[in-house]
């Protein structure tokens, strides 16, 4: 697995969404490098400001990007396996942040800043900062799918949202979507083949994405795969691809189940929270009619309130961080299955044509046309690309889910820690008063001693 | 199930008076099911509780003799308590545990035969006896002593006291509440407080039951993670072990709620005791209203009789009376009749004065003794409830610690994925 800029963390220091600014006026400055910029390839490249690069629009995420890269390094060292460490250079770093609302008479939409730092010669400059909207990401993905059909293209967050149900401009929604877009771009930038795609280059650097023009830069393979003829029937699928398909099916199912469970938990927690709040108020109102017991009862009410707050925080986190990642993987699986289907078709076509050609050769000694060889090439390319991508994907998936689940565990631990602290401080308060008490009357507990 | 044996060290005794507790060690050790024929000759099943008593001196001397024991059922406890309420209307009499399970949340059984319910009731009955036996006034009651020591003679003895006849009729008590004119302000405040206490404890019990219900749901759903992680681990290579183990922790988490909520029932029981105590407190206040009312009535009656006498003696009618009217219309009555009526009135007035004296004393005694016990009750309540709250906080902390443990374990497994 590669480590360029780590995932989903570029969200510090955003401006509020309500700032109305023309999206394209915000940050189109071509960033000029400072005099003492030393850019080198390899894993030790320092990112961003530490070189003394004067950057007009500071990328607020640089520090955390650096920090998290270090963390991820640690993870991988302990992990022990990194099949791409030697084969990939880490010279393309991308970040998505800074959402801004753009209001026009025709429509309202959000744009995001896409920042790029790179040493690749395919790029004219080492830094770019452009603003893009969701549509642009969608365009990019479609172009990638079309031009690199033998590869697994990472998913985008969902396109459509129910207008009445979800607020497209709420902070949570925008934040969640932005994190997903950032992840998407990082995965593409990490990919040894996709990251060199000219459409990506255009996306990252062009001032104006003229999408209608459609850059005519399809690769050879892309061109031919796009025109795969249907109607051929696959005979025998190689076992490794069968295994992939089965795995995806089962994994999809399990993810769906986990999604349902997580949602159910959120629902139950929300109902629990409602009752818990009410419960706290009963203690508070009882305190009103007591003298000696007033402070203890108020103390309990306070603890209950604190626990409510802690639970609210956790639930919010789960909704924002956990569920979207699950859904993303479900989308990923969908697109991967499509790719598998295309591979099947490519194999079927080759085998079909080959069979036909062999028959003709037997009949009238017509040589096997170049067509058939091309098909064979196509298929073999497909298989190789797919296998390579599969390994990457498995590895990424493992990291992602490790992070996701440990995050969930962490949130739960934090929640309980907060609650425990609240109750412990209450006990100190309550027990202090106990020792002051010198009345001769006995409590039931004392009678039982 | 024998849990707490109540050992009372003579050193640590309450200073006021010689309570029963100083002389006897009491506990409700066991519960058993019995079958028998009831009053209408129908077969029924009921539970009996074993009361064990031991003289303190023997225990103090280290002899450890076998305890005396006898079996009582709930209805006998009720009888004892009713006797105490009637006989000591100035005492806030400790309550019994509830007759039927209330404030249940859905997993908790509402069945009286359920072993958990029976166990909690056993503890409640024991608390009742301990409280009564350590009460400075109640502990000296003979009937209480018989209850603890005479298996068979007790019921006769209690009926012989004729306490049932002495009980104030509900109607009388209610009437007094509405019609009393000058009840003592402090008692009225206390009565108001008892309403508040009852309202708040019952609200709290209901809210707690709802919270318990919901919390149960949250925990149990996590059990589903256990199953899906296990299924998922089957298709994974490196991630498999971590997922599988994490799944087990999720199962453990889901299962842990049962014990947590069972323990919380003890807290609920402590609240319930004071819910019922509120009623006992109100009863004392109402008794005050009754004694005050009866005094007012007696005084009023005396005043009116004296007035009648005056009218009769002077012939001047101050207030309207039928006799006055008939006198006017038909002429005065004969002197002999008047004499007779005057004499009667004098007797009645003498009686009336006695009555007023009695009622005054009754009222004053009740006020004095009741006020003492109410103060005692207040202190006890503050202590008990503070302790209950501490216990509750301790339970919450324990639950948090368990939660941290489970999720930390799960995290370890995830990290190994």
């Amino acid at each position: 697995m590669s480590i360029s800029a780590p995932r989903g963390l570029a969200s510090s220091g955003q401006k509020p969404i309500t700032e109305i600014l023309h999206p394209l006026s915000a940050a189109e400055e071509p960033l000029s490098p400072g005099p003492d910029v030393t850019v080198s390839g390899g894993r030790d490249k320092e990112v961003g400001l530490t070189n003394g690069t004067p950057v007009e629009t500071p990328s607020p995420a640089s520090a955390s990007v650096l920090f998290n890269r270090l963390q991820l390094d640690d993870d991988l060292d302990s992990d022990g396996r990194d099949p791409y460490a030697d084969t990939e250079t880490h010279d393309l770093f991308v970040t998505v942040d800074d959402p801004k609302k753009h209001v026009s008479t025709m429509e309202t939409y959000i744009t995001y800043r896409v920042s790029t730092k790179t040493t690749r010669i395919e790029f004219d400059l080492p830094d770019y900062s452009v603003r893009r909207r969701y549509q642009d990401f969608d365009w990019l993905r479609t172009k990638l799918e079309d031009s690199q059909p033998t590869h697994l293209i990472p998913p985008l967050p969902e396109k459509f949202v129910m207008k009445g149900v979800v607020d497209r401009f709420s902070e949570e929604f925008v934040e969640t979507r932005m994190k997903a877009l950032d992840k998407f771009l990082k995965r593409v930038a990490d990919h040894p083949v996709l990251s060199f795609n000219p459409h990506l280059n255009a996306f990252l650097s062009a001032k104006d994405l003229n999408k209608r023009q459609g850059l005519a830069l399809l690769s050879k393979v892309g061109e031919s795969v796009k025109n795969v003829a249907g109607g051929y029937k696959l005979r025998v699928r190689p076992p490794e691809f069968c295994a992939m398909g089965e795995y995806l099916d089962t994994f999809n199912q399990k993810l769906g189940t986990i999604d349902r469970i997580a949602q159910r938990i959120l629902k139950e927690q929300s109902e629990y929270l409602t009752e818990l709040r009410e419960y706290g108020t009963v203690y508070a109102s009882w305190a009103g009619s007591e003298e000696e017991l007033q402070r203890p009862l108020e103390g309990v009410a306070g603890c209950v309130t604190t626990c409510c707050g802690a639970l609210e925080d956790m639930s919010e986190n789960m909704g924002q961080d956990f569920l979207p990642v699950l859904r993303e993987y479900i989308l990923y699986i969908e697109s991967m299955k499509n790719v598998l289907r295309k591979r099947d078709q490519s194999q079927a076509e080759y085998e079909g044509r080959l069979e036909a050609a062999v028959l003709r050769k037997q009949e009238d000694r017509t040589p096997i046309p170049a067509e058939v060889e091309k098909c064979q090439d196509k298929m073999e390319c497909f298989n190789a690309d797919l296998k390579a991508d599969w390994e990457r994907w498995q590895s990424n998936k493992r990291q992602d889910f490790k992070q996701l689940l440990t995050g969930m565990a962490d949130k739960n631990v934090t929640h309980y820690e907060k609650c425990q602290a609240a109750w412990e401080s209450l006990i100190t308060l309550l027990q202090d008063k106990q020792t002051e008490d010198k009345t001769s009357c006995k409590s039931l507990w004392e009678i039982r001693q | 199930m024998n849990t707490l044996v109540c050992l009372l060290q003579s050193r640590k005794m309450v200073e006021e008076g010689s309570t029963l507790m100083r002389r006897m060690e009491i506990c409700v050790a066991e519960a058993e099911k019995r079958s028998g024929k009831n009053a209408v000759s129908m077969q029924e099943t009921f539970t009996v509780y074993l009361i064990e008593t031991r003289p303190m001196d023997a225990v103090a001397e280290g002899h450890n003799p076998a305890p005396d024991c006898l079996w009582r059922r709930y209805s006998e406890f009720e009888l004892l308590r009713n006797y105490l309420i009637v006989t000591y209307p100035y005492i806030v009499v400790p309550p019994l545990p509830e007759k039927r399970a209330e404030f249940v949340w859905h997993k908790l059984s509402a069945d009286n035969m359920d072993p958990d319910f029976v166990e909690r009731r056993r503890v409640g009955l024991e608390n009742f006896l301990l409280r009564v036996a350590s009460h400075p006034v109640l502990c000296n009651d003979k009937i209480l002593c018989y209850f603890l020591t005479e298996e068979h003679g007790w019921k006769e003895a209690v009926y012989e006291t004729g306490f049932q006849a002495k009980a104030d009729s509900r109607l009388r008590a209610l009437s007094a509440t509405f019609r009393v004119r000058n009840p003592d302000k402090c008692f009225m405040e206390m009565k108001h407080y008892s309403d508040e206490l009852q309202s708040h404890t019952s609200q709290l019990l209901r809210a707690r039951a709802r919270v318990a219900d919901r919390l149960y749901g949250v925990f149990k759903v996590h059990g589903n993670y256990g199953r899906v992680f296990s299924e998922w681990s089957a298709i994974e290579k490196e991630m498999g072990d971590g997922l599988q183990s994490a799944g087990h922790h999720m199962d453990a988490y889901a299962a842990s709620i049962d014990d947590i909520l069972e323990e919380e029932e003890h807290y609920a029981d402590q609240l319930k005791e004071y819910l019922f105590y509120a009623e006992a407190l109100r009863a004392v206040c109402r008794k005050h209203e009754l004694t005050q009312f009866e005094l007012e009535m007696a005084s009023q009656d005396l005043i009116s009789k004296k007035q009648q006498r005056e009218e009769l003696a002077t012939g001047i009618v101050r207030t309207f009376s039928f006799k006055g009217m008939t006198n006017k219309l038909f002429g005065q009555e004969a002197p002999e009749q008047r004499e007779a009526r005057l004499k009667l009135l004098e007797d009645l007035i003498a009686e009336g004065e006695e009555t007023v004296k009695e009622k005054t004393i009754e009222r004053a005694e009740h006020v004095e003794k009741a006020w003492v016990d109410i103060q005692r009750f207040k202190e006890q309540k503050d202590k008990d409830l503070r302790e209950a709250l501490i216990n509750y906080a301790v339970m919450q902390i324990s639950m948090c610690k368990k939660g941290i443990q489970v999720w930390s374990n799960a995290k370890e497994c995830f990290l190994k994925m």
Side-chain angles (χ1 to χ4, degrees):
Chain A
M1 161 185 128
S2 75
I3 39 155
S4 57
R7 301 167 181 74
L9 299 152
S11 47
S12 51
Q14 297 154 28
K15 305 206 180 82
I17 296 175
T18 50
E19 230 187 280
I20 300 172
L21 211 61
H22 192 286
L24 297 178
S25 72
E28 283 296 358
E29 313 89 319
L31 305 164
S32 48
D36 47 334
V37 167
T38 39
V39 283
S40 53
R43 290 170 69 159
D44 302 325
K45 177 177 168 356
E46 295 286 320
V47 178
L49 304 171
T50 51
N51 279 349
T53 312
V55 179
E56 297 245 23
T57 336
S59 178
S62 325
S64 57
V65 157
L66 188 62
F67 177 68
N68 282 298
R69 203 160 70 86
L70 293 173
Q71 272 196 322
L72 226 43
D73 280 351
D74 289 338
D75 279 339
L76 279 177
D77 287 348
S78 60
D79 198 13
R81 35 169 274 139
D82 181 14
Y84 295 96
D86 302 322
T87 58
E88 289 177 11
T89 49
H90 306 280
D91 51 6
L92 176 64
F93 299 91
V94 296
T95 309
V96 178
D97 61 7
D98 191 30
K100 283 206 175 89
K101 197 183 213 176
H102 172 64
V103 181
S104 73
T105 42
M106 296 287 286
E107 54 177 347
T108 307
Y109 57 88
I110 306 266
T111 62
Y112 307 88
R113 170 173 61 189
V114 177
S115 317
T116 309
K117 290 185 188 342
T118 180
T119 57
R120 291 191 185 177
I121 49 172
E122 290 82 2
F123 290 87
D124 295 332
L125 300 171
D127 296 288
Y128 291 95
S129 184
V130 298
R131 293 211 74 93
R132 298 281 182 251
R133 56 186 289 191
Y134 182 93
Q135 269 180 18
D136 302 332
F137 284 84
D138 198 31
W139 169 87
L140 173 62
R141 188 172 192 282
T142 310
K143 287 295 175 198
L144 287 175
E145 261 188 334
D146 289 345
S147 57
Q148 317 269 190
T150 61
H151 287 285
L152 301 173
I153 318 289
L156 280 177
E158 303 216 14
K159 188 176 204 164
F160 298 108
V161 284
M162 308 254 284
K163 285 244 168 109
V165 175
V166 179
D167 179 7
R168 288 182 303 144
F169 301 108
S170 76
E171 274 196 49
E172 293 91 46
F173 177 78
V174 171
E175 169 108 10
T176 305
R177 189 176 244 206
M178 189 183 72
K179 284 191 194 157
L181 292 174
D182 182 79
K183 214 169 200 180
F184 163 76
L185 215 52
K186 284 181 161 76
R187 280 171 173 158
V188 173
D190 275 356
H191 195 285
V193 175
L194 295 178
S195 60
F196 287 96
N197 187 291
H199 294 96
L200 177 66
N201 196 320
F203 178 88
L204 293 176
S205 57
K207 202 162 173 171
D208 204 350
L209 261 191
N210 197 337
K211 301 170 236 169
R212 278 181 302 270
Q213 228 175 46
L215 306 163
L217 303 161
L218 293 174
S219 68
K220 263 173 61 177
V221 178
E223 187 67 60
S224 51
V225 169
K226 241 185 80 165
N227 303 322
V228 155
Y232 289 96
K233 205 158 171 259
L234 183 68
R235 297 236 190 95
V236 179
R237 191 186 291 125
E240 58 263 37
F241 298 111
C242 283
M244 282 185 200
E246 277 165 22
Y247 176 86
L248 287 178
D249 283 335
T250 312
F251 188 44
N252 195 27
Q253 213 187 49
K254 297 310 156 201
L255 285 184
T257 307
I258 294 176
D259 183 276
R260 275 189 300 278
I261 296 173
Q263 282 192 67
R264 175 84 188 277
I265 290 179
L266 283 178
K267 176 165 167 284
E268 296 282 341
Q269 277 175 344
S270 155
E271 291 176 351
Y272 169 64
L273 196 58
T274 309
E275 298 297 351
L276 198 61
R277 283 208 187 95
E278 171 71 25
Y279 181 59
T281 58
V282 176
Y283 278 107
S285 89
W286 183 3
S289 71
E290 292 288 339
E291 293 158 8
E292 280 296 304
L293 289 175
Q294 182 180 25
R295 286 191 61 218
L297 287 170
E298 281 173 350
V300 174
C303 275
V304 171
T305 306
T306 306
C307 292
C308 285
L311 185 61
E312 251 181 320
D313 288 342
M314 179 169 78
S315 295
E316 205 181 287
N317 272 316
M318 287 296 282
Q320 281 197 300
D321 294 337
F322 189 80
L323 289 177
V325 174
L326 280 183
R327 303 234 171 94
E328 199 177 279
Y329 261 88
I330 293 177
L331 291 171
Y332 216 153
I333 290 172
E334 271 310 302
S335 76
M336 284 164 75
K337 280 162 78 169
N338 270 330
V339 175
L340 281 176
R341 273 191 281 270
K342 286 208 209 115
R343 190 220 69 87
D344 282 351
Q345 279 178 338
S346 147
Q347 177 183 341
E349 190 190 345
Y350 164 63
E351 286 172 351
R353 284 189 196 272
L354 179 65
E355 199 181 314
V358 164
L359 275 171
R360 269 206 302 277
K361 187 169 176 185
Q362 285 177 340
E363 282 171 17
D364 52 16
R365 309 190 105 239
T366 318
I368 295 186
E371 286 272 315
V372 176
E373 279 178 25
K374 271 201 203 147
C375 269
Q376 184 181 26
D377 275 342
K378 214 165 56 177
M379 179 193 77
E380 282 169 2
C381 244
F382 215 138
N383 290 352
D385 285 346
L386 202 47
K387 277 195 206 153
D389 271 10
W390 178 260
E391 289 306 315
R392 286 177 74 79
W393 180 82
Q394 281 287 3
S395 181
N396 283 355
K397 171 211 78 184
R398 187 173 163 202
Q399 279 308 113
D400 283 344
F401 277 92
K402 189 195 275 201
Q403 192 178 48
L404 189 71
L405 292 170
T406 50
M408 172 172 89
D410 272 335
K411 297 285 180 337
N412 275 280
V413 168
T414 308
H415 160 253
Y416 278 120
E417 281 173 347
K418 284 186 200 163
C419 294
Q420 183 177 337
W423 290 107
E424 276 174 345
S425 66
L426 179 69
I427 286 202
T428 341
L429 174 80
L430 293 180
Q431 278 176 339
D432 275 345
K433 283 240 61 194
Q434 257 193 335
T435 52
E436 283 172 26
D437 214 348
K438 294 193 178 65
T439 57
S440 57
C441 167
K442 279 192 167 286
S443 68
L444 184 63
W445 180 80
E446 286 167 328
I447 295 173
R448 282 181 158 281
Q449 294 306 297
Chain B
M1 227 209 293
N2 216 334
T3 55
L4 300 168
V5 177
C6 35
L7 271 168
L8 215 52
Q9 290 147 3
S10 17
R11 321 271 169 260
K12 256 191 173 196
M13 281 312 306
V14 175
E15 295 316 317
E16 64 256 9
S18 152
T19 69
L20 193 59
M21 291 298 283
R22 194 179 267 180
R23 290 179 278 129
M24 244 192 223
E25 186 189 281
I26 305 171
C27 84
V28 177
E30 282 169 32
E32 241 180 49
K33 278 222 243 292
R34 293 273 167 86
S35 294
K37 289 235 159 45
N38 67 6
V40 290
S41 290
M42 281 179 41
Q43 196 69 8
E44 62 168 4
T45 327
F46 52 89
T47 313
V48 287
Y49 301 86
L50 182 67
I51 304 181
E52 289 183 348
T53 50
R54 259 199 288 212
M56 275 313 293
D57 347 340
V59 177
E61 287 163 28
H63 282 174
N64 204 15
D68 294 321
C69 51
L70 44 76
W71 295 91
R72 294 265 185 243
R73 53 186 293 195
Y74 186 85
S75 54
E76 294 179 87
F77 280 85
E78 275 184 310
L79 186 56
L80 172 66
R81 184 162 191 272
N82 288 337
Y83 160 78
L84 290 173
I85 292 175
V86 171
T87 315
Y88 302 92
Y90 49 91
I91 298 288
V92 182
V93 176
L96 287 173
E98 55 190 356
K99 190 154 188 153
R100 263 163 285 279
E102 299 207 26
F103 304 107
V104 289
W105 55 281
H106 88 280
K107 273 295 173 193
L108 204 59
S109 170
D111 173 19
N112 280 9
M113 287 298 176
D114 178 74
D116 285 331
F117 178 79
V118 167
E119 168 58 17
R120 294 209 317 279
R121 188 187 253 193
R122 184 196 64 77
V123 172
L125 291 173
E126 191 175 78
N127 287 345
F128 168 74
L129 288 179
L130 290 175
R131 285 202 193 277
V132 168
S134 61
H135 190 283
V137 172
L138 298 177
C139 65
N140 296 313
D141 187 279
K142 280 252 155 1
I143 298 292
L144 171 66
C145 198
Y146 293 153
F147 180 88
L148 294 168
T149 53
E150 306 286 330
E151 180 141 23
H152 301 292
W154 173 73
K155 263 205 184 147
E156 270 170 37
V158 79
Y159 286 133
E160 255 170 43
T161 63
F163 79 91
Q164 285 156 323
K166 290 190 232 156
D168 297 321
S169 82
R170 278 263 169 81
L171 201 58
R172 242 172 92 210
L174 204 58
S175 166
T177 304
F178 287 124
R179 293 163 61 192
V180 67
R181 290 209 206 128
N182 288 319
D184 181 285
K185 217 171 63 157
C186 294
F187 276 86
M188 289 307 95
E189 275 170 20
M190 204 38 66
K191 186 168 164 217
H192 177 68
Y193 171 77
S194 77
D195 288 335
E196 297 264 300
L197 182 63
Q198 181 169 48
S199 150
H200 288 126
T201 45
S202 77
Q203 266 179 0
L204 193 58
L205 284 163
R206 265 194 298 272
R208 194 209 69 89
R210 285 197 296 266
V211 166
D213 222 358
R214 290 299 175 191
L215 190 61
Y216 184 83
V218 171
F219 270 73
K220 287 303 178 190
V221 179
H222 280 84
N224 292 329
Y225 273 147
R227 199 175 21 174
V228 76
F229 285 168
S230 175
E231 291 167 3
W232 179 8
S233 71
I235 58 168
E236 295 292 343
K237 294 185 221 109
E238 301 100 4
M239 285 168 66
D241 288 336
L243 273 177
Q244 181 88 295
S245 322
H248 292 151
H249 290 299
M250 291 294 99
D251 286 332
Y253 183 67
S256 68
I257 189 66
D258 295 309
D259 285 343
I260 289 169
L261 288 178
E262 199 187 296
E263 240 203 287
E264 248 189 51
E265 282 309 309
H266 294 292
Y267 173 65
D269 284 340
Q270 287 173 301
L271 293 177
K272 273 181 214 171
E273 197 184 16
Y274 276 89
L275 172 65
F276 303 141
Y277 249 129
E279 178 137 1
L281 178 62
R282 186 182 315 120
V284 171
C285 297
R286 283 224 289 259
K287 181 68 177 180
H288 164 74
E289 283 176 332
L290 189 60
T291 57
Q292 171 70 16
F293 177 66
E294 288 186 345
L295 174 59
E296 286 171 7
M297 295 263 69
S299 307
Q300 191 56 40
D301 189 58
L302 185 62
I303 289 173
S304 116
K305 292 221 166 23
K306 283 187 177 170
Q307 263 182 349
Q308 280 181 23
R309 178 182 58 184
E310 199 191 315
E311 286 169 16
L312 212 51
T314 62
I316 300 173
V317 180
R318 270 183 228 280
T319 59
F320 177 80
S321 74
F322 189 63
K323 195 66 194 153
M325 271 322 295
T326 54
N327 281 349
K328 276 220 153 101
L329 291 170
F330 302 111
Q332 296 261 356
E333 58 195 335
E336 303 82 41
Q337 285 175 316
R338 233 174 100 241
E339 283 303 319
R341 281 208 305 128
L342 254 173
K343 178 78 171 53
L344 187 62
L345 260 176
E346 291 289 350
D347 286 343
L348 285 174
I349 286 172
E351 258 181 54
E353 273 170 348
E354 274 308 306
T355 310
V356 168
K357 255 196 222 141
E358 274 172 30
K359 293 294 175 189
T360 308
I361 293 174
E362 215 184 290
R363 178 204 171 277
E365 266 185 13
H366 182 271
V367 162
E368 190 187 313
K369 293 194 213 172
W371 198 247
V372 167
D373 200 57
I374 285 176
Q375 296 316 304
R376 182 206 60 81
F377 167 73
K378 261 171 84 170
E379 279 175 17
Q380 172 199 297
K381 170 207 68 156
D382 287 338
K383 270 198 179 185
D384 282 344
L385 288 176
R386 170 173 303 181
E387 227 145 67
L389 293 175
I390 293 177
N391 284 343
Y392 183 69
V394 168
M395 277 188 251
Q396 296 306 299
I397 290 172
S398 155
M399 177 169 88
C400 290
K401 285 191 178 161
K402 280 192 208 158
I404 292 174
Q405 185 68 50
V406 162
W407 282 103
S408 300
N409 289 343
K411 184 180 172 180
E412 287 304 310
C413 297
F414 292 139
L415 284 172
K416 293 206 197 99
M417 270 177 21

